[in-house]
Amino acid sequence: LPVTDTAGRTIFYQDPSRRNYAKYSWRQELMALWYLVETIAEDPVRGKKGYVILVNTKHYNRPSQVSQEFIKRLYPIIDTALPARVRAGHLCNASPLLPSIKPFYSRNLRLRVKIHTGSTDEILRELALFCLPKNRIPTELGGDVVIDMFQWTTERMRVEGARNDIRAAKRARADI
């Protein structure tokens, strides 16, 4: 999201019902996740604070929407290998099927994941207790934050372009 929680941690928002997991391999999904986490880790302050995962499971109704291989490999990586740490996970509008992935959680992750159910207002009240007030929550969950993927992608392309320009300049200097 374009905002942090009130503790200054980056918020990763996901709605699994919007994803077609059959379209990409679990390896491609993990590569995309790794890139997203690297965008946090490249900033030393944000990297140190870690990130919060906010998942809207309202329309998640089929376990087949998520690759089980991806899930099985994801949780150990979240716990040990990513360059920034997961500080909390919030599963909103949780389906009764959702606990089926809990066996893949480590003890540490089980302690950090909260499941929120109830009306939109009830969920917003609960999230506010975890440094996630309404002005830090996406509109899809009843909050005020509008997600603009085009703007985010444009900004990342600018950052990556600048990074490539720096690398090219260093190579040119090394060739002199």
Side-chain angles (χ1 to χ4, degrees):
L1 294 176
V3 296
T4 62
D5 70 0
T6 56
R9 299 171 295 200
T10 299
I11 304 168
F12 275 164
Y13 174 71
Q14 183 186 22
D15 180 347
S17 70
R18 291 184 175 200
R19 305 285 302 271
N20 179 355
Y21 288 92
K23 191 173 181 179
Y24 303 101
S25 73
W26 62 265
R27 282 188 171 94
Q28 290 169 310
E29 292 288 339
L30 287 177
M31 288 169 51
L33 173 67
W34 192 271
Y35 177 77
L36 290 173
V37 174
E38 281 183 343
T39 67
I40 296 171
E42 68 190 15
D43 177 332
V45 174
R46 288 188 326 163
K48 194 172 193 175
K49 289 186 177 190
Y51 60 99
V52 174
I53 300 172
L54 182 62
V55 182
N56 182 5
T57 61
K58 187 173 191 171
H59 302 291
Y60 172 82
N61 56 14
R62 295 185 323 266
S64 62
Q65 284 179 294
V66 177
S67 158
Q68 294 304 310
E69 187 68 25
F70 171 74
I71 295 296
K72 185 170 92 176
R73 294 174 184 270
L74 173 66
Y75 291 109
I77 289 171
I78 285 176
D79 247 3
T80 60
L82 292 177
R85 291 282 170 239
V86 174
R87 300 300 181 195
H90 297 277
L91 305 176
C92 302
N93 300 303
S95 147
L97 300 174
L98 204 53
S100 67
I101 62 174
K102 273 214 169 195
F104 298 114
Y105 293 5
S106 69
R107 180 182 181 280
N108 185 38
L109 204 52
R110 278 193 307 271
L111 294 173
R112 293 173 187 256
V113 173
K114 304 295 179 206
I115 296 177
H116 305 280
T117 59
S119 70
T120 299
D121 288 339
E122 290 169 328
I123 291 171
L124 288 173
R125 274 194 299 279
E126 286 181 20
L127 290 172
L129 299 173
F130 296 96
C131 300
L132 292 163
K134 186 176 179 181
N135 67 344
R136 311 291 174 112
I137 303 294
T139 55
E140 290 89 346
L141 283 171
D144 300 330
V145 178
V146 176
I147 299 172
D148 185 344
M149 285 304 298
F150 180 77
Q151 179 183 355
W152 184 86
T153 304
T154 302
E155 175 60 16
R156 289 310 308 167
M157 290 174 70
R158 186 193 63 73
V159 168
E160 295 297 337
R163 187 177 292 160
N164 289 336
D165 292 346
I166 291 168
R167 287 184 192 131
K170 285 181 180 179
R171 281 193 301 273
R173 276 190 234 126
D175 291 342
I176 295 176

